[in-house]
Amino acid sequence: MPLKEYVRKRNFAKTPEPAAKTRPAGGFRFVVQKHKASHLHYDLRLEHLGVLKSWAIPKGISTNPADKHLAIMVEDHPFDYRNFEGSYPRAIMARAA
């Protein structure tokens, strides 16, 4: 299951994140999300086989193509995550740090 790691890292009773569902493959969308988990950063997500392949970009995104920024591959995310906006409860973030 491509979302096994996503499910392992979350408690859906305590966070508002979307459930782990895939969708039929066929699209090629991408999303860049700015959010604060343990710290403020950007995530790049590319749709592939019904899930979003995801990379964290801790230093942000530059408009200069010559700039090099680290992108760290993280767990796949469900397709519905592309529209997700929310925050994590403080207790959860304290345990993650």
Side-chain angles (χ1 to χ4, degrees):
M1 176 176 144
L3 297 173
K4 189 176 195 175
E5 187 69 7
Y6 176 82
V7 171
R8 186 187 72 73
K9 291 182 171 185
R10 286 157 179 82
N11 180 338
F12 296 106
K14 294 184 178 180
T15 66
E17 295 171 286
K21 295 184 292 187
T22 59
R23 75 178 209 118
F28 295 103
R29 297 182 214 188
F30 75 94
V31 118
V32 176
Q33 292 177 312
K34 177 182 176 182
H35 69 98
K36 186 174 182 181
S38 57
H39 63 282
L40 186 63
H41 69 281
Y42 290 84
D43 287 326
L44 170 65
R45 306 194 196 282
L46 303 173
E47 181 181 356
H48 179 69
L49 300 176
V51 300
L52 297 173
K53 297 293 195 183
S54 300
W55 291 262
I57 307 168
K59 300 277 183 181
I61 299 169
S62 173
T63 57
N64 181 352
D67 288 346
K68 295 185 180 353
H69 286 243
L70 176 69
I72 303 162
M73 189 169 204
V74 296
E75 73 273 9
D76 295 347
H77 284 63
F79 182 74
D80 289 343
Y81 206 96
R82 76 194 186 290
N83 297 322
F84 174 69
E85 290 184 27
S87 59
Y88 300 99
R90 283 182 177 245
I92 290 172
M93 291 317 302
R95 279 182 276 155

